[in-house]
Amino acid sequence: MTTWVEGFLVILMLTNLWLLGSSRLLSCIAAVSVQGVLLGLLPLVIGIDVPVWRLILQAGISIGFKGIALPLLLLRAARSVDVRREVEPIVGYSASLLIGVAALTASLFIGLRLPIHGGAAPLLLVPAALFTALTGLFIIVSRRSAIVQALGYLAMESGIAAFGLALAEQEPLLIEMGTFLDAFVAIFVMGITIYHISREFDHIDSDRLSSLKDSPQ
Amino acid sequence: MILALVALPALAAVAAFLIRSHALRRSLLVAVAVVHAGLVGLLWIDPARFPAMGTWLASDALGRIFLAIASLLFLAVSVSAVGFLQRESGATSADTEEGFLFSNAPEAVFTACLLGFLSTMTLVTVSQHFGLLWVSIEATTLVSAPLIHYHRHHRSLEATWKYLLVCSVGIAVALLGTYFLAASVPSAAGAARSAATSLTFSGLARAAASLDAGWLKAAFLLLLVGYGTKMGLAPMHTWLPDAHSEAPSVVSALLSGALLNCAFLAVLRVLSVCAAAGLGGFGRQTILVLGLVSMAVAAGLIIGQPDYKRMLAYSSVEHMGILCVGIGLGGLGDWGALFHAVNHSFTKAALFLLAGNFLAAYGTKKSSDVNGAAGTLPVTAALWVAGLFAITGAPPFGVFSSELTILRAGVNAGAWAVVAIYSALLVAVFVGMITMLLRMSQGGRTDLPNQAGHIGSAAAGGRGMALAVAAPPPLRAADTALSVAAPLVLLVLTGVLGLFIPQFVDTALKQAALLLGV
């Protein structure tokens, strides 16, 4: 089982680099979708000490929402405005990858030094989780397209949820459900907003949403 | 019974979504607000009737204050909302600033989201578990986003997107902080405790001595940044002026008066855990610095602000800063900050409702274009003057006495630098806001806007047609009982609190301040 876990975590880290380096929207959506599926599979292979039905429910929700439903929703939004790629990100793709590598190093450095009490968590879990969350945050601030920003938020949420796996035994089910539900609804509401943006403006570039600011007198 | 407080508005929200008749839905909105306020009143009179539900839901002294604020404001807003919906609910209307046509969101969606907003805010005030607190605060963001997007046009859409993205990221950071908090609980205690009590406020307070200080500090900072974003503390406040100025005024009143306080409550909950673990000093210092930064940023943007709704929004940033300064100073400051939260909520909600009246009548958010209001909207104008003096801390209103209390806390603590900065910023904001008031009261012309066009065209003779087109549009709304009743009551309340604090309020504030720890 340990090899599976470490394998999944390495793939999770690679999807981050994939997300950072691709300009095609479809590719970004796929990367985030893979992250959702991985996040659903992780609790099954880590061997957390909670009832099996709870593990399966958690996996089902994560794969269903983050792996399938939300990516499809964003895909539809992207199709409706006919956007295929992010043309000019605020930070270029090579620079993004370099920053990603730096974030990976920092996550490994910090993550391996943060002792999680109980010690049941796999070695790479915390670094992988931090790296995913940082990648998501970076995507949000460095891309113009609202769809890619929503993808960044989804990645950030996945990273934080992965961190939560280290503490999963302490978390009551209801809270987990609430967390999942909120993440789902957040993306859902974002999806609707993106749909409205695309209808109103014929574009989804959030940096052109700039009519609201403090105007001098 | 506690569950009823949360469930009643939630069920009503579902009903509002299904009801077809406008009149019935509006009555439902007000009825739920009245019943909710009644239940909260009952809770204040006899808390024993509302026993805790498990370890997750309970109403303590701290939560009760914020619950009362939210419930009273909602009652006031629901009355104004009826007037607002009567005026606005139609197929298409013209934008007040740029003149294009747009249609509003369906009234059923708006009412349902308003009721859902009340339900989620109530849940924030009664939750006793950090996970549940997080879920409920995130839920307030999600139900309020459609409210900000009520006017379906590009500016409100832009505001909604910024609100959603910035607050969601902030709340995600708070989730990471919540996990860090869970990680700070040592495993020895972890094995012994039952899963359900792990992240409850009381459970953490009991285990406080054994919490890992490093994790706890990191958790505090993440939670402060996360919930501080939602609270509108600088430099995480960027969403706030846009959302508050573009949302319908009834929604702005709720956002500013009730929602910001809910996030403040979350910060206080985290602080009380830190205090129990002996990190209170660290926590308070951090909050104090954030508070002063927020006040300074807000003061800089208030001075010379031409848009009166944005000015009110920045004033909210300033007052959230004042709350943080009070908490940062501690001691008497705790009491002062909690009292200030009450005063600020009432006053600011009243001001936003009045700003809505101006916007409806004049169709502009520029303060220099609102002229001669004393003649056209006499009650609104009079209340606006009173409200502006109240919010800037002029006696005899409640804001004055709570700001003075926080100042005294600073003097007691011997924090002279803080006292100096705090006072200077208060004066700066006072000057900025009163300048706007002068601009509104003097302006260029003092005659009625619809007559101005008439006079202008008559005087210009042959070029009359062109001038008549350029003349300001006629007034679209006048003072009605529905539009001024709620702000009047709210301002009277804060006036009364400034002159005399009822015993039960004082006791409640003292009990709540005790919960914060040292």
Side-chain angles (χ1 to χ4, degrees), chain B residues 125-198:
Chain B
T125 61
V126 296
S127 50
Q128 294 285 318
H129 184 286
F130 275 105
L132 191 62
L133 183 70
W134 183 86
V135 168
S136 50
I137 290 199
E138 170 74 2
T140 58
T141 312
L142 299 174
V143 291
S144 52
L147 293 176
I148 296 175
H149 190 206
Y150 174 69
H151 298 307
R152 300 220 156 146
H153 56 58
H154 69 97
R155 277 180 286 112
S156 73
L157 198 54
E158 181 182 336
T160 311
W161 180 253
K162 285 182 184 167
Y163 174 64
L164 258 182
L165 200 68
V166 176
C167 284
S168 295
V169 169
I171 298 287
V173 171
L175 179 63
L176 191 61
T178 309
Y179 285 141
F180 272 47
L181 198 60
S184 75
V185 181
S187 54
R193 80 194 155 188
S194 70
T197 57
S198 60

Coordinates of all heavy atoms in Angstrom, one line a residue, chain B residues 125-198:
Chain B
T125 N -23.3 32.3 14.5 CA -23.2 32.8 15.9 C -23.5 31.7 16.9 O -23.2 31.9 18.0 CB -24.3 33.9 16.1 OG1 -25.6 33.4 15.8 CG2 -24.1 35.1 15.2
V126 N -24.1 30.6 16.4 CA -24.4 29.5 17.4 C -23.5 28.3 17.3 O -23.6 27.4 18.1 CB -25.9 29.0 17.4 CG1 -26.8 30.1 17.7 CG2 -26.2 28.4 16.0
S127 N -22.5 28.4 16.3 CA -21.7 27.2 16.2 C -20.6 27.2 17.3 O -20.1 28.3 17.6 CB -21.1 27.0 14.8 OG -20.5 28.1 14.4
Q128 N -20.3 26.1 17.8 CA -19.3 25.9 18.8 C -18.1 25.1 18.4 O -17.4 24.5 19.2 CB -19.9 25.3 20.1 CG -21.0 26.1 20.7 CD -20.4 27.2 21.5 OE1 -19.4 27.1 22.2 NE2 -21.0 28.4 21.4
H129 N -18.0 24.9 17.1 CA -17.0 23.9 16.6 C -16.3 24.6 15.4 O -17.0 25.2 14.5 CB -17.7 22.7 16.1 CG -16.8 21.6 15.6 ND1 -16.2 21.6 14.4 CD2 -16.5 20.4 16.2 CE1 -15.4 20.6 14.3 NE2 -15.6 19.8 15.3
F130 N -15.0 24.6 15.4 CA -14.3 25.3 14.3 C -14.6 24.9 12.9 O -14.6 25.7 12.0 CB -12.8 25.3 14.6 CG -12.3 26.4 15.6 CD1 -12.0 26.0 16.8 CD2 -12.3 27.7 15.2 CE1 -11.6 27.0 17.7 CE2 -11.9 28.7 16.1 CZ -11.6 28.3 17.4
G131 N -14.9 23.6 12.8 CA -15.2 23.1 11.4 C -16.6 23.6 11.0 O -16.7 24.1 9.9
L132 N -17.5 23.6 11.9 CA -18.9 24.0 11.6 C -18.8 25.6 11.4 O -19.5 26.1 10.5 CB -19.8 23.7 12.8 CG -21.3 23.9 12.5 CD1 -21.8 23.0 11.4 CD2 -22.1 23.6 13.8
L133 N -18.0 26.3 12.1 CA -17.9 27.7 12.0 C -17.4 28.0 10.6 O -17.9 28.9 9.9 CB -16.9 28.2 13.0 CG -16.6 29.7 13.0 CD1 -17.8 30.4 13.6 CD2 -15.4 30.1 13.9
W134 N -16.4 27.2 10.1 CA -15.9 27.4 8.8 C -16.9 27.2 7.7 O -17.1 28.0 6.8 CB -14.7 26.5 8.5 CG -14.1 26.7 7.2 CD1 -13.1 27.7 6.9 CD2 -14.4 26.1 5.9 NE1 -12.9 27.6 5.6 CE2 -13.6 26.7 5.0 CE3 -15.3 25.1 5.6 CZ2 -13.7 26.3 3.6 CZ3 -15.4 24.7 4.3 CH2 -14.6 25.3 3.3
V135 N -17.6 26.1 7.9 CA -18.7 25.7 6.9 C -19.7 26.8 6.8 O -20.1 27.3 5.7 CB -19.4 24.4 7.3 CG1 -20.6 24.2 6.5 CG2 -18.4 23.2 7.1
S136 N -20.1 27.4 8.0 CA -21.2 28.4 8.0 C -20.7 29.7 7.4 O -21.4 30.4 6.7 CB -21.8 28.5 9.4 OG -20.8 28.8 10.3
I137 N -19.4 30.1 7.7 CA -19.0 31.3 7.1 C -18.8 31.2 5.6 O -19.2 32.1 4.8 CB -17.6 31.7 7.8 CG1 -17.9 32.1 9.2 CG2 -17.0 32.9 7.0 CD1 -16.9 33.0 9.9
E138 N -18.3 30.1 5.1 CA -18.3 29.9 3.7 C -19.7 29.9 3.1 O -19.9 30.5 2.0 CB -17.6 28.5 3.4 CG -17.7 28.1 1.9 CD -16.7 28.9 1.0 OE1 -16.0 29.7 1.5 OE2 -16.8 28.6 -0.2
A139 N -20.6 29.4 3.8 CA -22.0 29.4 3.3 C -22.6 30.8 3.2 O -23.3 31.1 2.2 CB -22.9 28.5 4.2
T140 N -22.2 31.7 4.1 CA -22.6 33.1 4.0 C -22.1 33.7 2.7 O -22.9 34.4 2.0 CB -22.2 34.0 5.2 OG1 -20.7 33.9 5.2 CG2 -22.7 33.5 6.5
T141 N -20.9 33.4 2.3 CA -20.4 33.9 1.0 C -21.2 33.5 -0.1 O -21.6 34.2 -1.0 CB -18.9 33.4 0.8 OG1 -18.2 33.6 2.0 CG2 -18.3 34.2 -0.3
L142 N -21.5 32.2 -0.1 CA -22.2 31.6 -1.3 C -23.6 32.1 -1.4 O -24.1 32.4 -2.5 CB -22.2 30.1 -1.2 CG -20.8 29.5 -1.2 CD1 -20.8 28.0 -0.9 CD2 -20.1 29.8 -2.5
V143 N -24.4 32.3 -0.3 CA -25.7 32.8 -0.4 C -25.8 34.3 -0.7 O -26.7 34.8 -1.2 CB -26.7 32.4 0.8 CG1 -26.9 31.0 0.8 CG2 -26.1 33.0 2.0
S144 N -24.7 35.0 -0.3 CA -24.8 36.4 -0.5 C -24.3 36.8 -1.9 O -24.6 37.9 -2.4 CB -24.0 37.2 0.6 OG -22.7 36.7 0.7
A145 N -23.5 35.9 -2.6 CA -23.1 36.3 -3.9 C -24.2 36.6 -4.9 O -24.2 37.6 -5.6 CB -22.2 35.2 -4.5
P146 N -25.3 35.8 -4.9 CA -26.4 36.2 -5.8 C -27.1 37.5 -5.4 O -27.7 38.2 -6.2 CB -27.4 35.0 -5.6 CG -26.6 33.9 -5.1 CD -25.5 34.5 -4.3
L147 N -27.0 37.8 -4.1 CA -27.6 39.1 -3.6 C -26.8 40.3 -4.2 O -27.4 41.3 -4.6 CB -27.6 39.2 -2.1 CG -28.5 38.2 -1.4 CD1 -28.3 38.3 0.1 CD2 -29.9 38.4 -1.7
I148 N -25.5 40.2 -4.3 CA -24.7 41.3 -4.8 C -25.0 41.4 -6.3 O -24.9 42.4 -6.9 CB -23.2 41.0 -4.5 CG1 -23.0 41.1 -3.0 CG2 -22.3 42.0 -5.2 CD1 -21.6 40.7 -2.6
H149 N -25.3 40.2 -6.9 CA -25.5 40.2 -8.4 C -27.0 40.4 -8.7 O -27.5 39.9 -9.7 CB -25.0 38.9 -8.9 CG -25.0 38.8 -10.4 ND1 -25.1 37.7 -11.1 CD2 -24.9 39.8 -11.3 CE1 -25.1 38.0 -12.4 NE2 -25.0 39.3 -12.6
Y150 N -27.7 41.2 -7.8 CA -29.2 41.3 -8.1 C -29.4 42.2 -9.3 O -30.2 41.8 -10.2 CB -29.8 42.0 -6.9 CG -31.2 42.4 -7.1 CD1 -32.2 41.4 -7.1 CD2 -31.6 43.7 -7.2 CE1 -33.5 41.7 -7.4 CE2 -33.0 44.0 -7.4 CZ -33.9 43.0 -7.5 OH -35.2 43.3 -7.7
H151 N -28.7 43.3 -9.4 CA -28.8 44.0 -10.7 C -27.9 43.3 -11.7 O -26.7 43.3 -11.6 CB -28.3 45.5 -10.5 CG -29.1 46.3 -9.5 ND1 -30.4 46.4 -9.6 CD2 -28.7 47.0 -8.5 CE1 -30.8 47.2 -8.6 NE2 -29.8 47.5 -7.9
R152 N -28.5 42.7 -12.7 CA -27.7 41.9 -13.6 C -27.1 42.8 -14.7 O -27.5 42.8 -15.8 CB -28.6 40.8 -14.2 CG -29.2 40.0 -13.2 CD -29.2 38.5 -13.6 NE -29.2 37.7 -12.4 CZ -29.9 36.5 -12.4 NH1 -30.5 36.1 -13.5 NH2 -29.8 35.8 -11.3
H153 N -26.0 43.5 -14.3 CA -25.3 44.2 -15.3 C -23.8 44.1 -15.0 O -23.4 43.4 -14.1 CB -25.7 45.7 -15.4 CG -25.7 46.4 -14.1 ND1 -24.5 46.6 -13.4 CD2 -26.6 47.1 -13.4 CE1 -24.7 47.3 -12.4 NE2 -26.0 47.6 -12.3
H154 N -23.0 44.7 -15.9 CA -21.5 44.4 -15.8 C -20.9 44.8 -14.6 O -20.0 44.1 -14.1 CB -20.8 44.9 -17.1 CG -20.7 46.4 -17.1 ND1 -19.6 47.1 -16.6 CD2 -21.6 47.4 -17.4 CE1 -19.8 48.4 -16.8 NE2 -21.0 48.6 -17.2
R155 N -21.3 45.9 -14.0 CA -20.6 46.4 -12.7 C -20.9 45.4 -11.6 O -20.0 45.1 -10.8 CB -21.0 47.8 -12.4 CG -20.2 48.8 -13.2 CD -20.6 50.2 -12.8 NE -21.9 50.6 -13.4 CZ -23.0 50.8 -12.7 NH1 -22.9 50.7 -11.4 NH2 -24.1 51.1 -13.3
S156 N -22.2 45.0 -11.5 CA -22.5 44.1 -10.3 C -21.8 42.8 -10.5 O -21.4 42.1 -9.6 CB -24.0 44.0 -10.2 OG -24.5 43.2 -11.2
L157 N -21.7 42.4 -11.8 CA -21.0 41.1 -12.1 C -19.6 41.1 -11.7 O -19.0 40.2 -11.1 CB -21.2 40.8 -13.6 CG -21.0 39.4 -14.1 CD1 -21.9 38.5 -13.3 CD2 -21.3 39.3 -15.6
E158 N -18.9 42.2 -12.0 CA -17.5 42.4 -11.7 C -17.4 42.4 -10.1 O -16.5 41.7 -9.6 CB -17.0 43.8 -12.2 CG -15.6 44.0 -11.9 CD -15.2 45.4 -12.4 OE1 -15.8 45.9 -13.3 OE2 -14.2 45.9 -11.9
A159 N -18.3 43.1 -9.4 CA -18.2 43.1 -8.0 C -18.4 41.6 -7.4 O -17.7 41.2 -6.5 CB -19.3 44.0 -7.4
T160 N -19.4 40.9 -8.0 CA -19.7 39.6 -7.5 C -18.4 38.7 -7.7 O -18.1 37.9 -6.9 CB -20.9 39.0 -8.3 OG1 -21.9 39.9 -8.3 CG2 -21.3 37.7 -7.7
W161 N -17.8 38.8 -8.9 CA -16.7 37.9 -9.2 C -15.5 38.2 -8.2 O -14.9 37.3 -7.6 CB -16.2 38.1 -10.6 CG -15.0 37.2 -10.9 CD1 -13.7 37.6 -11.1 CD2 -15.0 35.8 -11.0 NE1 -12.9 36.5 -11.3 CE2 -13.7 35.4 -11.3 CE3 -16.0 34.8 -11.0 CZ2 -13.3 34.1 -11.5 CZ3 -15.6 33.5 -11.1 CH2 -14.3 33.1 -11.4
K162 N -15.2 39.5 -7.9 CA -14.2 39.8 -7.0 C -14.5 39.3 -5.6 O -13.7 38.7 -4.9 CB -14.0 41.3 -6.9 CG -13.3 41.9 -8.1 CD -13.1 43.4 -8.0 CE -12.4 44.0 -9.2 NZ -12.5 45.4 -9.2
Y163 N -15.8 39.5 -5.2 CA -16.2 39.0 -3.9 C -16.1 37.5 -3.7 O -15.5 37.1 -2.8 CB -17.7 39.4 -3.7 CG -18.4 38.9 -2.5 CD1 -17.9 39.4 -1.2 CD2 -19.5 38.1 -2.5 CE1 -18.6 38.9 -0.1 CE2 -20.1 37.6 -1.4 CZ -19.7 38.1 -0.1 OH -20.3 37.6 1.0
L164 N -16.6 36.8 -4.7 CA -16.5 35.3 -4.7 C -15.0 34.9 -4.6 O -14.7 34.0 -3.8 CB -17.1 34.8 -5.9 CG -18.5 34.2 -5.9 CD1 -18.9 33.7 -7.2 CD2 -18.6 33.1 -4.8
L165 N -14.2 35.4 -5.5 CA -12.9 34.9 -5.6 C -12.0 35.2 -4.4 O -11.4 34.4 -3.8 CB -12.2 35.4 -6.9 CG -11.0 34.5 -7.3 CD1 -11.5 33.1 -7.7 CD2 -10.2 35.1 -8.4
V166 N -12.0 36.5 -4.0 CA -11.2 37.0 -2.9 C -11.7 36.3 -1.6 O -10.9 35.8 -0.8 CB -11.2 38.5 -2.8 CG1 -10.4 38.9 -1.6 CG2 -10.6 39.1 -4.0
C167 N -13.0 36.3 -1.4 CA -13.5 35.7 -0.1 C -13.3 34.2 -0.1 O -12.9 33.6 0.9 CB -14.9 36.1 0.1 SG -15.1 37.7 0.7
S168 N -13.5 33.5 -1.3 CA -13.3 32.1 -1.3 C -11.8 31.7 -1.0 O -11.6 30.8 -0.3 CB -13.7 31.5 -2.6 OG -15.1 31.7 -2.8
V169 N -10.9 32.5 -1.6 CA -9.5 32.2 -1.3 C -9.2 32.4 0.2 O -8.5 31.6 0.8 CB -8.6 33.0 -2.2 CG1 -7.2 33.0 -1.8 CG2 -8.7 32.6 -3.7
G170 N -9.7 33.5 0.7 CA -9.5 33.8 2.1 C -10.1 32.7 3.0 O -9.4 32.2 3.9
I171 N -11.3 32.2 2.7 CA -11.9 31.2 3.5 C -11.1 29.9 3.3 O -11.0 29.1 4.2 CB -13.4 31.0 3.1 CG1 -14.1 32.3 3.3 CG2 -14.0 29.9 3.8 CD1 -14.4 32.6 4.8
A172 N -10.5 29.6 2.1 CA -9.7 28.4 1.9 C -8.5 28.5 2.8 O -8.1 27.5 3.4 CB -9.3 28.3 0.5
V173 N -7.9 29.7 2.9 CA -6.8 29.8 3.9 C -7.2 29.6 5.3 O -6.5 28.9 6.1 CB -6.2 31.3 3.8 CG1 -5.2 31.5 4.8 CG2 -5.6 31.5 2.4
A174 N -8.5 30.0 5.6 CA -9.0 29.7 7.0 C -9.2 28.2 7.2 O -9.0 27.7 8.3 CB -10.3 30.5 7.2
L175 N -9.5 27.5 6.1 CA -9.7 26.1 6.3 C -8.3 25.4 6.6 O -8.2 24.5 7.5 CB -10.3 25.5 5.0 CG -10.4 23.9 5.0 CD1 -11.4 23.5 6.1 CD2 -10.9 23.4 3.6
L176 N -7.3 25.9 5.9 CA -6.0 25.4 6.2 C -5.6 25.7 7.6 O -5.1 24.8 8.4 CB -4.9 26.0 5.2 CG -3.5 25.4 5.2 CD1 -3.6 23.9 4.8 CD2 -2.6 26.2 4.3
G177 N -6.0 26.9 8.1 CA -5.7 27.2 9.5 C -6.5 26.3 10.4 O -6.0 25.9 11.5
T178 N -7.7 26.0 10.1 CA -8.5 25.1 10.9 C -7.8 23.7 11.0 O -7.7 23.1 12.1 CB -9.9 24.9 10.3 OG1 -10.5 26.2 10.1 CG2 -10.8 24.1 11.3
Y179 N -7.2 23.2 9.9 CA -6.5 22.0 9.9 C -5.3 22.1 10.8 O -4.9 21.2 11.5 CB -6.1 21.5 8.5 CG -7.3 20.9 7.7 CD1 -7.5 21.2 6.4 CD2 -8.3 20.1 8.3 CE1 -8.5 20.7 5.7 CE2 -9.3 19.6 7.6 CZ -9.4 19.9 6.3 OH -10.5 19.4 5.6
F180 N -4.6 23.2 10.7 CA -3.4 23.5 11.5 C -3.8 23.4 13.0 O -3.1 22.9 13.8 CB -2.8 24.8 11.2 CG -1.7 24.8 10.1 CD1 -2.0 24.1 8.9 CD2 -0.5 25.4 10.2 CE1 -1.1 24.0 7.9 CE2 0.4 25.3 9.2 CZ 0.1 24.6 8.0
L181 N -5.0 24.0 13.3 CA -5.5 24.0 14.7 C -5.7 22.5 15.1 O -5.3 22.2 16.3 CB -6.8 24.7 14.7 CG -7.3 25.2 16.1 CD1 -6.2 26.2 16.6 CD2 -8.6 26.0 15.9
A182 N -6.2 21.7 14.2 CA -6.4 20.3 14.6 C -5.1 19.6 14.8 O -4.9 18.8 15.7 CB -7.2 19.6 13.5
A183 N -4.1 20.1 14.0 CA -2.7 19.4 14.1 C -2.0 19.9 15.4 O -1.1 19.2 15.9 CB -1.9 19.8 12.9
S184 N -2.5 21.0 16.0 CA -1.8 21.4 17.2 C -2.2 20.6 18.4 O -1.6 20.7 19.5 CB -2.1 22.9 17.5 OG -3.4 23.0 18.0
V185 N -3.3 19.8 18.3 CA -3.7 19.0 19.4 C -2.8 17.8 19.5 O -2.6 17.1 18.6 CB -5.1 18.5 19.3 CG1 -5.6 17.7 20.4 CG2 -6.0 19.7 19.1
P186 N -2.1 17.6 20.7 CA -1.1 16.5 20.7 C -1.8 15.1 20.7 O -3.0 15.0 21.0 CB -0.5 16.7 22.1 CG -1.5 17.5 22.9 CD -2.2 18.4 21.9
S187 N -1.1 14.2 20.2 CA -1.7 12.9 19.9 C -2.1 12.1 21.2 O -3.0 11.4 21.2 CB -0.7 12.0 19.1 OG 0.5 11.9 19.8
A188 N -1.4 12.4 22.3 CA -1.7 11.7 23.5 C -3.2 12.1 23.9 O -4.0 11.3 24.2 CB -0.8 12.1 24.6
A189 N -3.4 13.4 23.9 CA -4.8 13.9 24.2 C -5.7 13.4 23.1 O -6.9 13.2 23.3 CB -4.8 15.4 24.3
G190 N -5.2 13.3 21.9 CA -6.0 13.0 20.7 C -6.6 11.6 20.9 O -7.7 11.3 20.5
A191 N -5.8 10.7 21.4 CA -6.3 9.3 21.6 C -7.4 9.2 22.6 O -8.3 8.5 22.5 CB -5.1 8.4 22.0
A192 N -7.2 10.1 23.6 CA -8.2 10.0 24.7 C -9.5 10.6 24.4 O -10.6 10.2 24.8 CB -7.6 10.7 26.0
R193 N -9.5 11.7 23.6 CA -10.7 12.4 23.4 C -11.6 11.8 22.4 O -11.2 11.0 21.5 CB -10.4 13.9 23.0 CG -10.1 13.8 21.5 CD -9.5 15.1 21.1 NE -8.7 14.6 19.9 CZ -7.9 15.3 19.2 NH1 -7.6 16.5 19.6 NH2 -7.3 14.9 18.1
S194 N -12.9 12.1 22.5 CA -13.8 11.5 21.4 C -13.7 12.5 20.2 O -13.4 13.6 20.3 CB -15.2 11.5 22.0 OG -15.7 12.8 22.1
A195 N -14.0 11.9 19.1 CA -13.8 12.6 17.8 C -14.7 13.9 17.8 O -14.3 14.9 17.3 CB -14.1 11.7 16.7
A196 N -15.8 13.8 18.3 CA -16.8 14.9 18.2 C -16.4 16.1 18.9 O -16.8 17.2 18.5 CB -18.2 14.4 18.6
T197 N -15.6 16.0 19.9 CA -15.3 17.3 20.7 C -14.0 17.9 20.3 O -13.6 18.8 20.9 CB -15.3 16.9 22.2 OG1 -14.3 15.9 22.4 CG2 -16.6 16.5 22.7
S198 N -13.3 17.3 19.3 CA -11.9 17.6 19.1 C -11.8 19.1 18.8 O -10.9 19.7 19.3 CB -11.4 16.8 17.9 OG -12.2 17.1 16.8

